[in-house]
Amino acid sequence: MRNVLLAVDGSNPSEQAAKFLARIPHFDPVKLTVVTVVQPRFVHSSYATNELIQKAYEQDRQNAEKMLAKIEPLFDGADVDIQCELLEGVVGESIVQKAKELNADLVVVGATGHSQISRMLLGSVSDFVATHAPCSVLVVRPELLPKPGSPLRVCLAYEGTGPCQAALEEFKECPWHGNTELHVVSIATCLNDLYSDTSFIQHYKDDLAKAQEQLEEVSDHVITHFLEDVHYGEGITRFTEANEMNLVVLGETPRSQFSRFLLGSTSQYVLRHVPCSVWITRNRMIKNLKQGTQEQSKVTANR
């Protein structure tokens, strides 16, 4: 959470994404790179295109510069080193490439459309970035952001696995004390006869208790929920809608460049079905695992 890339395009969703990012607290100084992408114009070759394209391009640049100037004041007073940059190229691909160049920890984008159909449509910039970015991604849907003075209601999907623990640790890097309600949700799929195995149920509840203990270090209001559903993504979606969550946080299993093109993962399902903002933790080393690896390396080196 020290190196953040915010992509804006002048739309209301991207402006709301910037405002939401500005309200997220942080312990350490943040290097924030704000980018907007100017995509080249293409005109039929029968026109005298040179002058036309140049004028359109210059207008796009001017609009982009004005937009970046509006974003900067949102972070006044925060411990943020902000830099603005104008990119050229295809929008989604340019954002992903910039995230790679910066070695960003988090990419923040706004999303349009909040109906059930529009959330499931493929091809949008936010969907492309969320699918292809090499790091964690926060997709902000402005329609269900909390109103001023209202608490931020967060659902953290947790099941004790490595990706879920990584999401928990990334979330803990922000001090959420104050006006935040944090709901930690564990979904058990297809339990049926397993309900008779009390040790199996207790395993879920023990994981939730451990998660709650960790999160109470950064949040004053942590509530755990143990639920049953036939599908993990559907369970998270139903809980989010029923309890009017503003943000869903979940971890994603590290994937190769090829596997990112495949559909069906939990993170993609949740992103396309929940009505609120989604924070996906990706390709992040778990702190405890990293520390254990470092300690093991020291032991090996001393032999």
Side-chain angles (χ1 to χ4, degrees), residues 2-303:
R2 294 188 177 93
N3 189 2
V4 179
L5 174 63
L6 168 64
V8 296
D9 62 3
S11 65
N12 179 63
S14 73
E15 186 175 347
Q16 294 302 317
K19 291 180 178 179
F20 183 64
L21 176 61
R23 70 171 283 179
I24 295 178
H26 50 91
F27 290 109
D28 301 310
V30 173
K31 179 183 178 183
L32 174 62
T33 303
V34 184
V35 300
T36 189
V37 183
V38 176
Q39 189 161 327
R41 302 284 188 100
F42 296 96
V43 184
H44 193 277
S45 59
S46 61
Y47 290 92
T49 59
N50 287 344
E51 184 178 355
L52 180 62
I53 290 177
Q54 186 62 30
K55 286 183 177 179
Y57 176 73
E58 289 301 326
Q59 184 62 53
D60 285 344
R61 284 186 63 90
Q62 292 175 17
N63 293 338
E65 289 168 357
K66 291 178 181 177
M67 176 177 48
L68 291 175
K70 287 177 60 179
I71 298 299
E72 230 174 321
L74 296 176
F75 297 89
D76 286 347
D79 192 3
V80 174
D81 176 17
I82 184 170
Q83 296 183 1
C84 298
E85 190 169 340
L86 191 63
L87 307 178
E88 298 179 14
V90 180
V91 180
E93 294 176 4
S94 298
I95 295 170
V96 170
Q97 181 59 36
K98 192 63 183 179
K100 293 177 181 177
E101 293 173 5
L102 294 173
N103 195 25
D105 302 315
L106 177 70
V107 177
V108 182
V109 293
T112 57
H114 62 281
S115 69
Q116 183 68 17
I117 294 177
S118 63
R119 288 200 300 272
M120 295 177 64
L121 294 178
L122 307 183
S124 69
V125 171
S126 57
D127 185 273
F128 183 91
V129 173
T131 302
H132 294 84
C135 58
S136 300
V137 178
L138 171 57
V139 178
V140 179
R141 290 192 172 99
E143 294 83 6
L144 285 183
L145 291 179
K147 297 179 181 178
S150 299
L152 175 66
R153 297 173 59 81
V154 182
C155 168
L156 172 65
Y158 191 80
E159 54 179 347
T161 62
C164 291
Q165 182 62 29
L168 184 150
E169 291 180 359
E170 185 166 85
F171 189 79
K172 277 184 62 181
E173 291 180 359
C174 300
W176 297 96
H177 297 292
N179 208 17
T180 301
E181 294 180 11
L182 178 54
H183 298 258
V184 188
V185 180
S186 183
I187 306 291
T189 57
C190 302
L191 280 178
N192 299 324
D193 295 339
L194 291 175
Y195 263 126
S196 60
D197 186 350
T198 56
S199 63
F200 186 84
I201 303 300
Q202 192 60 43
H203 175 73
Y204 275 91
K205 295 183 177 180
D206 288 344
D207 282 342
L208 279 173
K210 292 176 184 177
Q212 182 176 21
E213 183 179 0
Q214 294 177 72
L215 290 165
E216 284 176 344
E217 297 175 14
V218 296
S219 177
D220 301 319
H221 192 171
V222 183
I223 305 170
T224 61
H225 306 266
F226 174 63
L227 308 173
E228 180 191 6
D229 208 293
V230 294
H231 183 271
Y232 191 82
E234 289 181 7
I236 295 298
T237 301
R238 274 191 269 270
F239 178 87
T240 299
E241 292 176 340
N243 293 276
E244 299 181 344
M245 295 289 109
N246 307 121
L247 174 66
V248 174
V249 181
L250 69 162
E252 182 178 82
T253 303
R255 296 180 294 158
S256 66
Q257 184 66 27
F258 173 76
S259 66
R260 288 197 192 112
F261 289 95
L262 302 178
L263 305 183
S265 71
T266 298
S267 59
Q268 286 180 321
Y269 183 94
V270 171
L271 178 63
R272 297 176 189 185
H273 288 81
V274 299
C276 63
S277 303
V278 178
W279 185 331
I280 302 171
T281 294
R282 175 180 295 149
N283 293 347
R284 176 188 174 92
M285 177 70 79
I286 301 172
K287 285 183 179 179
N288 293 337
L289 177 60
K290 185 176 181 180
Q291 290 170 356
T293 303
Q294 290 172 342
E295 291 173 1
Q296 182 62 40
S297 298
K298 291 178 181 178
V299 171
T300 304
N302 292 331
R303 286 178 178 175

